[in-house]
């Protein structure tokens, strides 16, 4: 698992990368009540707004960590946004992206480095 | 952070795991570990304790007699102050000469003086305003005390365990009760749409009182996050958002707070700041109105979301919005042109560049459960 400074986790699955938000981020957001997911097949550039997450308190975004194409989204989150709080690193993945080259993920933090960031 | 004011109960909030945020110049708990959703639902089904000590408390003590003070206060608000019985409280609106709202407040008749509670963000200006306009007839005395709110269907049970007399109070009663050698100034009112109480307590007793209430079964501490979602469901205005110096009481849908005595044909019609506009709007209707809004998708519509008629004409803006935990749906309120203000009118709100359907809804979203 890799981590971004924006508190996303990235998990490689074959030639895809699965993206979600960390427990730390989910706790900071509070009760999530709405998730807006991208269209499958959308091409994303690094930094593009991919998802919107709204808690009772406020709205925030998930940005594309790298360039790539959205190949799957987790529709369960639209029905049950509370999953983001219940199981942020498991059932509450947001989208899967296809990258040209998975080695771009090397730039991101590993778990120890991330824990240091939020520590 | 260093110039934020601290509540008297700051350490209690930290000890309860409160997540502190800046609000109206104070370092305030936005939520506790249970979270906004659970705190909200707990208040609707049991009882929630809120620390609202940031609010301003002021005594207006007449220099001659109560009637003179009441009549002077009536020049600042379109409310019937003179007709308020001893032991009763009313909602009031300080207006400016243009008919806008300087602040909303609660005022109580305590027999030989008035007791007023104002918004934290406005308290310095309010005290200056009251002093400027009332000092000929009254001493304007800011009161340094804590203020706790206990709200929810089990609030009476919890507070009556400490102060049995409160069980006999009705909505908007106000009284002074003895507790452990001190005085509690209690009103049966609140900001959640639930039955409940607001309790002014000396700083010396505030911690003991808060702990005694939290020790009651079914009482849980509630932060500002749930306070906001509760008042939004209850259709209550947040000053600086839903009402301000540009919105009139009539536009804000607060005409219920303007008693007959102050309206055209009443015993003391007009004679308050902004009376020309306010009486005109009462007679002819305002150009825009505050309405409830029910977004028709799951996407919340928050403050400043622009509103459009279905033909694309801009007709208003959301002033408060978010998610209603008791309704499990997004809710909002805002101002729309009067032609679009009828309940059931279909509108559109623009969220992140997309026009989404939203329908004008009745306020409050959740019926109030006051003990009348």
């Amino acid at each position: 698992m890799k981590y971004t400074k924006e508190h996303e986790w990235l998990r490689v699955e074959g030639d895809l990368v699965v993206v979600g938000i960390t427990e730390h981020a989910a706790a900071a957001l509070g009760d999530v009540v709405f998730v807006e997911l991208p269209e499958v097949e959308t091409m994303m550039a690094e930094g593009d707004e991919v998802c919107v997450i709204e808690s009772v308190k406020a709205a925030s975004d998930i940005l594309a960590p790298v360039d790539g194409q959205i190949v799957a989204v987790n529709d369960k989150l639209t029905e049950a946004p509370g999953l983001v709080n219940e199981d942020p690193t498991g059932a509450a993945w947001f989208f899967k992206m296809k990258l040209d080259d998975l080695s771009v993920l090397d730039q991101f933090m590993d778990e120890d480095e991330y824990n240091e960031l939020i520590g | 952070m260093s110039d934020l004011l601290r509540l008297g109960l700051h350490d209690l909030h930290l000890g309860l795991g409160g997540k502190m945020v800046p609000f109206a110049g104070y370092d305030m708990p936005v939520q506790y570990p249970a979270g906004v959703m659970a705190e909200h639902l707990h208040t609707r089904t049991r009882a929630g304790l809120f620390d609202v000590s940031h609010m301003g408390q002021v005594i207006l003590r007449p220099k001659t007699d109560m009637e003179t003070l009441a009549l002077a206060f009536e020049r600042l608000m379109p409310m019937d102050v003179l007709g308020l019985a001893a032991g009763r409280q009313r909602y009031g609106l300080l207006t400016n000469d243009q008919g806008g709202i300087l602040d909303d407040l609660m005022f109580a008749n305590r027999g030989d003086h008035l007791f007023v509670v104002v918004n934290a963000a406005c308290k310095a200006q309010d005290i200056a305003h009251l002093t400027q306009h009332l000092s000929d007839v009254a001493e304007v005395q800011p009161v340094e005390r804590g203020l706790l709110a206990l709200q929810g269907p089990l609030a009476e049970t919890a507070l009556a365990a400490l102060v049995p007399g409160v069980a006999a109070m009705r909505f908007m009663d106000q009284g002074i009760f003895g507790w452990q050698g001190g005085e509690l100034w209690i009103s049966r009112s609140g900001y959640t749409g639930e039955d409940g109480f607001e309790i002014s307590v000396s700083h010396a007793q505030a911690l003991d009182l808060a702990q005694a209430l939290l020790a009651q079964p079914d009482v849980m501490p509630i932060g500002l996050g749930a306070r906001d979602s509760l008042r939004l469901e209850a259709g209550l205005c947040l000053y600086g958002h839903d009402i301000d110096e540009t919105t009139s009481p009539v536009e804000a849908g607060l005409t219920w707070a303007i008693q007959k005595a102050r309206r055209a044909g009443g015993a003391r019609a007009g004679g308050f700041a902004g009376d020309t506009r306010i009486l005109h709007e009462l007679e002819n209707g305002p150009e825009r109105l505050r309405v409830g809004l029910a977004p028709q998708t799951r996407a919340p519509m928050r403050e400043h979301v622009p509103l459009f008629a279905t033909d694309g004409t801009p007709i208003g803006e959301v002033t408060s919005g978010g998610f209603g935990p008791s309704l499990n749906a997004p809710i909002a309120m805002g101002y729309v042109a009067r032609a679009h203000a009828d309940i059931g009118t279909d509108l559109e709100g623009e969220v992140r560049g997309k026009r989404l359907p939203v329908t004008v809804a009745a306020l409050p979203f959740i019926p109030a459960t006051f003990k009348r």
Side-chain angles (χ1 to χ4, degrees):
Chain A
M1 202 103 111
K2 290 286 194 177
Y3 299 88
T4 72
K5 278 184 297 210
E6 285 74 37
H7 306 284
E8 296 151 346
W9 54 258
L10 313 171
R11 192 176 68 225
V12 175
E13 203 177 87
D15 61 345
L16 304 179
V17 60
V18 188
V19 180
I21 66 168
T22 65
E23 270 187 46
H24 174 79
L29 280 172
D31 302 300
V32 174
V33 296
F34 174 75
V35 170
E36 190 173 278
L37 298 166
E39 301 279 335
V40 171
E41 294 188 358
T42 315
M43 295 301 299
M44 291 288 175
E46 181 187 332
D48 283 356
E49 181 187 287
V50 187
C51 300
V52 175
I53 311 176
E54 300 221 19
S55 71
V56 185
K57 286 176 286 183
S60 50
D61 308 318
I62 297 186
L63 306 180
V66 291
D67 299 350
Q69 184 177 29
I70 304 292
V71 295
V73 297
N74 186 357
D75 288 320
K76 273 192 205 148
L77 298 184
T78 318
E79 300 296 311
L83 270 183
V84 178
N85 301 105
E86 287 158 28
D87 192 8
T89 53
W93 60 275
F94 279 75
F95 57 90
K96 299 183 184 184
M97 276 179 109
K98 191 170 166 54
L99 315 186
D100 292 338
D101 177 5
L102 285 172
S103 71
V104 297
L105 299 181
D106 294 346
Q107 62 179 302
F108 295 110
M109 289 174 275
D110 63 20
E111 190 171 349
D112 287 346
E113 289 167 324
Y114 180 70
N115 286 336
E116 202 167 307
L117 175 79
I118 61 173
Chain B
M1 291 294 278
S2 57
D3 48 3
L4 283 181
L5 299 168
R6 283 194 172 179
L7 299 171
L9 299 179
H10 186 80
D11 291 345
L12 176 68
H13 299 307
L14 294 184
L16 292 166
K19 187 163 145 189
M20 308 303 279
V21 298
F23 181 83
Y26 285 80
D27 197 18
M28 304 268 301
V30 65
Q31 65 171 79
Y32 298 91
V36 177
M37 195 89 86
E39 291 170 25
H40 177 115
L41 296 172
H42 187 92
T43 305
R44 288 258 182 265
T45 53
R46 294 183 175 82
L49 182 69
F50 304 72
D51 182 2
V52 288
S53 301
H54 60 310
M55 299 187 77
Q57 305 180 50
V58 184
I59 282 177
L60 304 177
R61 194 171 295 283
K63 287 184 173 168
T64 53
D65 57 282
M66 281 290 273
E67 183 176 335
T68 306
L69 167 58
L71 292 173
F73 204 13
E74 286 194 355
R75 290 199 282 275
L76 308 182
M77 304 195 295
M79 277 74 224
D80 179 356
V81 182
L82 189 62
L84 181 66
R88 294 287 292 164
Q89 172 178 282
R90 240 170 214 167
Y91 180 65
L93 298 160
L94 292 173
T95 45
N96 63 23
D97 290 339
Q98 293 73 45
I101 300 171
L102 294 170
D103 197 8
D104 62 341
L105 52 80
M106 287 289 188
F107 62 102
N109 178 348
R110 298 212 301 191
D112 62 355
H113 66 274
L114 298 176
F115 175 57
V116 183
V117 179
V118 303
N119 282 302
C122 302
K123 65 184 170 187
Q125 301 94 290
D126 288 351
I127 289 165
H129 184 72
L130 295 173
T131 304
Q132 182 190 340
H133 294 280
L134 300 180
S135 54
D136 286 350
V137 299
E139 301 289 345
V140 178
Q141 303 168 329
V143 179
E144 286 303 322
R145 286 168 70 89
L147 191 65
L148 301 176
L150 186 69
Q151 300 278 295
L154 299 179
E156 180 189 299
T157 311
L159 185 57
L162 310 184
V163 187
V166 300
M169 296 178 84
R170 291 178 304 127
F171 181 58
M172 295 296 237
D173 278 352
Q174 220 276 357
I176 297 177
F177 295 81
W179 184 68
Q180 296 195 346
E183 275 185 0
L184 303 179
W185 304 349
I186 301 177
S187 66
R188 193 154 198 164
S189 55
Y191 193 46
T192 60
E194 295 298 322
D195 181 27
F197 301 87
E198 291 172 304
I199 310 156
S200 171
V201 55
S202 72
H203 285 308
Q205 285 194 302
L207 180 61
D208 285 349
L209 179 64
Q211 284 176 331
L213 289 170
L214 288 169
Q216 297 299 313
D218 301 310
V219 177
M220 180 167 148
I222 311 295
L224 287 177
R227 182 168 159 84
D228 193 54
S229 56
L230 287 158
R231 70 92 197 165
L232 182 59
E233 284 185 345
L236 299 170
C237 292
L238 176 59
Y239 190 80
H241 300 260
D242 307 301
I243 49 176
D244 61 25
E245 293 186 20
T246 69
T247 59
S248 77
V250 185
E251 290 177 334
L254 300 173
T255 51
W256 56 267
I258 305 176
Q259 287 78 21
K260 270 190 196 148
R262 310 307 309 281
R263 300 186 184 209
R268 296 179 309 287
F272 51 83
D275 53 359
T276 307
R277 173 181 174 189
I278 292 167
L279 293 177
H280 177 83
E281 288 181 351
L282 278 170
E283 189 70 24
N284 303 292
E287 287 179 15
R288 56 178 184 166
L289 258 178
R290 181 176 64 98
V291 295
L293 297 163
Q296 298 298 299
T297 73
R298 298 293 293 172
M301 293 187 182
R302 299 188 189 268
E303 188 175 4
H304 302 312
V305 162
L307 297 168
F308 302 86
T310 47
D311 68 1
T313 314
I315 49 108
E317 188 179 87
V318 170
T319 52
S320 276
F323 188 80
S326 301
L327 297 150
N328 189 29
I331 51 170
M333 55 172 100
Y335 284 83
V336 300
R338 184 152 56 114
H340 302 275
D342 289 344
I343 290 164
T345 305
D346 290 323
L347 304 174
E348 289 177 345
E350 189 173 299
V351 180
R352 295 178 285 272
K354 274 181 265 179
R355 301 271 172 100
L356 302 175
V358 53
T359 303
V360 176
L363 292 175
F365 293 99
I366 291 275
T369 54
F370 306 136
K371 186 179 163 189
R372 305 234 181 225

